[in-house]
Amino acid sequence: MTQTPNFTRTDSAVRIVSLYPDLLGTYGDGGNALVLSRRLEWRGIAVEHITVDAGAPIPDSADLYLVGGGEDGPQVQATRELDRSQGLHRAVDKGAVVLAICAGMQILGHRFPDATGATRDGLGLLDCETVRVDRPRAVGELLTTDAKLTTRHGLVELGPLTGFENHAGRTVPGPTSLSLASVEVGEGNGDGSEGVITGTVVGTYLHGPALARNPRLADALLEWIVGPNAMTPLNDTDVNELRSERIHAARDHELAPRRSWRDVLKRS
Ligand code: GLN
């Protein structure tokens, strides 16, 4: 019988749930939970992190839920399970923050295409729709202009977001949603914007994992929960060096796989 995952502490720890890492865990998206947990611990804030596999009940008492990317088949299965559970819906109703990556974002929207191209209903927690387009799969570095996120404490400036993308679908943000930023390099949503925000639910095409490559995004999500006064500054010198390396590489297309494949083909 499936064990009911739940929190064990009763104090004021920040509660984080990684949803369905057994179905949605491509490209190291599980690292996002690690980044959030460490950034809380470094500030002396208690954290409790649990993972919930598909089929298990989803506790609706967490502060933050993480949904990762995945392939087309598991994506459909995850949608079915999330819909059946309704735990994530209840948590969002109560104000929980959600970060959904790639397939996760598509699932949380109104509709998305399955592996056959047929349209499937999503969960409707993000105001967007994902469609199949007559364009190649978006694979490569993804870099945005300066991103912004408005939490219940106000506007947070995130600087450029960096990561990589690998998706066939393109996402059309709906009228009640905001995007995180515009795309500078790569594809993002497909209309020049990147990411979808509806209320406390944030979706992005950024893998990396996204929060390791964009600690200001991690902190903005945490600030939403613990408030700005608890957000002691951390020393991000090392990660900022890596970020500028990646940002330059993306701008110079040094890391864009399509270009290097083209170069290889030209030479052979
Ligand atoms: N299966 C989806 C697509 O290809 C999402 C892929 C992903 O999560 N990386 O569009």
Side-chain angles (χ1 to χ4, degrees), residues 32 35-36 39 64 97-101 147-151 156-162 180 194-195 197 202-206 209-224 231 236 243:
N32 288 327
V35 172
L36 291 164
R39 293 184 78 79
L64 207 162
V97 175
V98 181
L99 176 68
I101 311 294
K148 291 180 177 53
L149 186 64
T150 301
T151 76
V156 188
E157 307 271 359
L158 305 173
L161 299 175
T162 137
L180 281 163
E194 161 50 27
I197 308 160
V202 180
T204 175
Y205 273 115
L206 289 162
L211 300 185
R213 288 180 61 162
N214 303 283
R216 280 160 77 176
L217 177 57
D219 280 358
L221 299 175
L222 294 176
E223 186 179 309
W224 217 330
M231 298 299 289
D236 284 329
R243 273 175 59 78

Side-chain angles (χ1 to χ4, degrees), residues 26-27 69-72 75 101-104 106 137 166-169 207:
T26 52
Y27 311 120
E71 286 145 10
D72 293 346
Q75 179 172 345
I101 311 294
C102 200
Q106 297 179 357
R137 198 174 174 85
N166 187 345
H167 53 103
H207 294 286

